[in-house]
């Protein structure tokens, strides 16, 4: 599967017309719901494989998923790469904590981790995870499935970050946007 086929597959499977509120507080009339990849095993396998390859480039000894959006992906990448997994939980107030004592132990005693995110917008969720002690000092890079953010409207991260797909998707699409064809 080439990168354009991957892009098309993700849009077809994950692009949703929906009024939503992003973690940054910005309202949108669309979103990329990467958790919908579970409905397509071939596409999921390809995303997990490519994400795992990006994770391994940083030679981490543990993987962390951004809660709610990327825990499932981090779990699959950890299984595929045989890496330790740190699971986090976000409560209704968006406070992030360790899912269990095992995850907290790995974070405290691991040397270098990679954070997996589903979709980059303004890095709000990513920064919340990096604020969890001691993760912020141990995460060497961040990997996402899609970077839909406008680089002019966000403050860049201070650590390396990469995505399988990088394509700006505005929070508010006009009614004639080409992207609506994927939301059927």
């Amino acid at each position: 599967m080439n990168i354009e086929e991957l892009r098309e597959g993700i849009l077809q499977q994950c692009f949703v017309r929906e009024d939503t509120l992003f973690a940054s507080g910005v309202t949108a009339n669309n979103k990329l719901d990467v958790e919908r990849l579970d409905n397509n095993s071939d596409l999921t396998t390809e995303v997990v494989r490519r994400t795992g390859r990006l994770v391994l480039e940083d030679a981490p000894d543990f993987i962390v998923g951004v809660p709610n959006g990327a825990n499932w992906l981090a779990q699959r990448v950890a299984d595929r790469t045989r890496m330790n997994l740190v699971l986090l939980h976000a409560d209704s107030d968006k406070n992030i904590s360790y899912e269990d004592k095992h995850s907290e132990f790995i974070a405290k005693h691991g040397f270098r981790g990679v954070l997996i995110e589903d979709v980059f917008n303004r890095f709000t969720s990513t920064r919340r995870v990096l604020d969890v002690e001691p993760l912020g000092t141990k995460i060497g890079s961040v990997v996402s499935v899609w970077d839909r953010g406008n680089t002019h409207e966000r403050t860049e991260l201070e650590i390396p970050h990469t995505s399988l797909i990088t394509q700006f998707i505005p929070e508010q699409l006009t009614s004639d946007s080409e992207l609506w064809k994927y939301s059927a």
Side-chain angles (χ1 to χ4, degrees):
M1 179 179 297
N2 66 38
I3 198 70
E4 184 56 31
E5 292 169 330
L6 182 66
R7 178 192 163 281
E8 286 291 310
I10 292 170
L11 284 170
Q12 289 172 358
Q13 196 70 34
C14 303
F15 189 77
V16 181
R17 180 188 296 248
E18 178 180 306
D19 290 330
T20 190
L21 182 66
F22 290 149
S24 64
V26 174
T27 58
N29 63 2
N30 67 87
K31 73 177 192 173
L32 281 169
D33 185 358
V34 176
E35 290 185 77
R36 295 179 70 169
L37 284 175
D38 255 353
N39 298 333
N40 184 319
S41 61
D42 291 340
L43 186 58
T44 301
T45 299
E46 186 67 13
V47 167
V48 169
R49 185 182 68 75
R50 287 175 182 246
T51 303
R53 190 178 304 145
L54 290 175
V55 165
L56 290 174
E57 287 177 8
D58 206 38
D61 60 342
F62 67 90
I63 296 170
V64 182
V66 171
N68 301 339
N71 271 342
W72 72 273
L73 180 58
Q75 177 71 58
R76 292 203 178 167
V77 171
D79 290 347
R80 182 178 179 88
T81 60
R82 302 182 195 276
M83 292 264 169
N84 287 314
L85 176 66
V86 172
L87 288 173
L88 300 174
H89 169 76
D91 65 20
S92 59
D93 293 327
K94 300 182 183 177
N95 297 312
I96 297 176
S97 60
Y98 293 100
E99 184 75 26
D100 52 36
K101 292 291 183 189
H102 181 71
S103 291
E104 187 172 5
F105 179 85
I106 292 169
K108 285 182 178 178
H109 298 287
F111 293 105
R112 185 171 179 83
V114 170
L115 177 60
I116 296 177
E117 173 72 280
D118 55 351
V119 178
F120 290 145
N121 287 298
R122 297 184 184 206
F123 300 125
T124 305
S125 297
T126 301
R127 283 191 173 86
R128 284 186 182 131
V129 170
L130 293 174
D131 285 343
V132 174
E133 289 298 326
L135 287 177
T137 62
K138 296 187 176 194
I139 298 299
S141 65
V142 187
V143 174
S144 76
V145 174
W146 196 291
D147 183 347
R148 67 174 280 162
N150 183 341
T151 58
H152 300 294
E153 294 179 356
R154 69 181 184 198
T155 304
E156 287 297 318
L157 294 174
E158 294 182 12
I159 59 174
H161 57 87
T162 189
S163 299
L164 299 180
I165 308 290
T166 299
Q167 179 186 348
F168 173 59
I169 301 175
E171 290 99 354
Q172 295 293 328
L173 292 176
T174 60
S175 60
D176 62 345
S177 173
E178 285 282 320
L179 289 169
W180 289 130
K181 69 182 179 186
Y182 297 106
S183 68

